[in-house]
Amino acid sequence: MAKVLVTGGAGYIGSHACKALRAAGHTPVTFDNFSTGWRDAVKFGPAEEGDLLDRARLDEVFATHRPDAVMHFAAFSQVGEAMAKPGLYWRNNVMGSLNLIEAAVAAGCMDFVFSSTCATYGEHDNVVLDEETPQQPLNAYGASKRAIEEILRDFEAAHGLRHVIFRYFNVAGADPDGEVGEHHRPETHLIPVMLEAVDGTRPGLTIHGTDYDTPDGTCIRDYVHVCDLVDAHVLGLDWLRAGKPSRVFNLGTGTGFSVRQVIDASRAVTNREVPHTEGPRRAGDATKLVSGSTRAESELGWHPTRSTMPQMIADAWLWHRTGRYES
Ligand SMILES: NC(=O)c1ccc[n+]([C@@H]2O[C@H](COP(=O)([O-])OP(=O)(O)OC[C@H]3O[C@@H](n4cnc5c(N)ncnc54)[C@H](O)[C@@H]3O)[C@@H](O)[C@H]2O)c1
Ligand SMILES: O=c1ccn([C@@H]2O[C@H](COP(=O)(O)OP(=O)(O)O[C@H]3O[C@H](CO)[C@@H](O)[C@H](O)[C@H]3O)[C@@H](O)[C@H]2O)c(=O)[nH]1
């Protein structure tokens, strides 16, 4: 069983990863600066407060815990914010990751699992997005993640740092036990924003663009349940610990949903209307991002079980009504 340093363990996906690691018998050690994460979300192992930009603090944490592996979730990850503040994204994501990668190598911790994104692919007309698709990101967020992937390749060549890169599609849903869930402040992701509109926490949902070249004019995304996604990470850890080679895996279901289709699916789950208006496009958004790969299934043995749209909305809705972090 492994001790795993989980950066961003107080965030949405990292907290679910800690739960899955603990359930698989591993020990997750959260490293987080709580900039967008929550102390209340750290429930499955110890936490170390610290910033990726603070190399000395990272060295201290590696020396204290001597982790066997790193799972690196900590990042800023909003497309709209990245368009407005690219410096923030290059500094936090790329410089922070470089510090972490150097600290891991210095500590001899050579198994590294990284959260990348399908936003690294950018716009591709009628092309199936698999792991070999050229990466041409449309925004500083995707560009920062592509850069980190390149750093990992260089550090493997020079220092032997073995890595699994997961390129997530859109992550949704929540722990069905209601222990952890999605709580971004401010929230910008489609499904939680939509549920806030449903219960009146916000006046309504604005659809960002209705003139895309898609059947109903709205953007299409591939949504994957956070619990399925973190299960793949546990398999990725096993992969590295079994001595298998560095590898990139898309994590998506291969099914695309337009914004309007997500709204329609929500009505069936909540039995309520989604108050919404139609607005302009959001800068940096690609028209369609849908995975065309089954590599994670065939090579890792990943079997998503909760990634249907009604299940993801139902689990998000349960968390929305019953779960909240205070701090
Ligand atoms: N949510 C999605 O749909 C999605 C899709 C693709 C990729 N990702 C990637 O998954 C990862 C996790 O996303 P999330 O939705 O859980 O985000 P989140 O904001 O909930 O979690 C990120 C965590 O990282 C921490 N953090 C950020 N900068 C830090 C720093 N410099 N030092 C220490 N801690 C820091 C935050 O406090 C937070 O707890 C990110 O790398 C993101 O790019 C997310
Ligand atoms: O109020 C809203 C929020 C979103 N959308 C649309 O819904 C879709 C999904 O948007 P969102 O939930 O914000 O996710 P993305 O911008 O697709 O980005 C997410 O998914 C990416 C992978 O596709 C990750 O890399 C990012 O970290 C993660 O934020 C997009 O077309 C948005 O324009 C709206 O129309 N109105």
Side-chain angles (χ1 to χ4, degrees):
M1 292 298 115
K3 189 182 264 194
V4 184
L5 187 69
V6 181
T7 75
Y12 169 44
I13 301 171
S15 59
H16 288 78
C18 288
K19 178 166 179 168
L21 284 166
R22 173 46 64 88
H26 302 299
T27 304
V29 177
T30 288
F31 180 88
D32 207 295
N33 66 359
F34 302 101
S35 54
T36 61
W38 301 85
R39 290 174 204 280
D40 292 350
V42 181
K43 299 183 172 180
F44 310 104
E48 293 283 359
E49 184 163 0
D51 196 303
L52 293 174
L53 296 172
D54 182 350
R55 171 67 198 273
R57 179 71 184 126
L58 280 167
D59 288 340
E60 207 171 79
V61 169
F62 273 100
T64 304
H65 291 279
R66 302 189 171 281
D68 302 295
V70 175
M71 278 192 192
H72 178 33
F73 297 94
F76 292 151
S77 63
Q78 292 172 25
V79 172
E81 185 182 57
M83 294 301 287
K85 300 177 186 170
L88 193 66
Y89 277 67
W90 283 102
R91 184 173 304 103
N92 194 56
N93 293 358
V94 179
M95 291 170 67
S97 296
L98 181 56
N99 275 340
L100 174 69
I101 290 165
E102 287 186 327
V105 168
C109 178
M110 296 302 218
D111 289 347
F112 198 101
V113 179
F114 174 56
S115 296
S116 189
T117 167
C118 66
T120 60
Y121 294 124
E123 195 84 62
H124 292 271
D125 283 343
N126 301 319
V127 170
V128 167
L129 299 179
D130 65 23
E131 292 84 352
E132 310 307 327
T133 303
Q135 291 173 287
Q136 41 198 51
L138 296 180
N139 52 64
Y141 165 60
S144 73
K145 292 284 183 170
R146 182 183 61 181
I148 300 161
E149 292 192 14
E150 287 170 15
I151 294 171
L152 286 171
R153 286 187 200 102
D154 286 349
F155 273 68
E156 167 151 52
H159 307 294
L161 181 73
R162 294 163 59 257
H163 55 269
V164 163
I165 293 170
F166 286 118
R167 294 189 189 135
Y168 313 163
F169 286 70
N170 286 55
V171 188
D175 170 28
D177 302 331
E179 288 191 277
V180 283
E182 183 168 17
H183 195 170
H184 294 118
R185 281 291 169 266
E187 189 53 79
T188 61
H189 291 107
L190 176 61
I191 291 176
V193 165
M194 179 180 74
L195 296 178
E196 287 177 9
V198 167
D199 80 357
T201 321
R202 70 169 68 216
L205 166 75
T206 304
I207 300 180
H208 297 321
T210 53
D211 60 346
Y212 285 96
D213 184 16
T214 61
D216 67 20
T218 65
C219 289
I220 294 176
R221 295 286 182 275
D222 177 341
Y223 294 83
V224 55
H225 196 294
V226 64
C227 293
D228 288 336
L229 184 99
V230 298
D231 284 349
H233 287 64
V234 177
L235 294 170
L237 177 68
D238 294 345
W239 171 279
L240 288 173
R241 287 174 61 75
K244 294 184 183 170
S246 297
R247 199 77 170 129
V248 178
F249 297 99
N250 277 0
L251 292 178
T253 65
T255 304
F257 289 85
S258 71
V259 175
R260 291 193 205 280
Q261 286 175 317
V262 173
I263 292 173
D264 289 344
S266 151
R267 283 196 199 97
V269 174
T270 65
N271 279 320
R272 301 203 214 162
E273 287 303 312
V274 181
H276 64 274
T277 53
E278 297 181 359
R281 292 184 178 200
R282 186 175 66 178
D285 274 348
T287 304
K288 180 178 176 183
L289 291 169
V290 178
S291 179
S293 167
T294 54
R295 183 187 284 180
E297 286 90 331
S298 61
E299 296 188 14
L300 277 182
W302 181 52
H303 298 297
T305 58
R306 299 189 78 81
S307 295
T308 64
M309 185 53 70
Q311 188 67 65
M312 288 185 280
I313 295 175
D315 289 347
W317 184 228
L318 173 74
W319 167 255
H320 184 77
R321 283 173 301 150
T322 59
R324 271 280 170 264
Y325 302 132
E326 300 300 326
S327 64

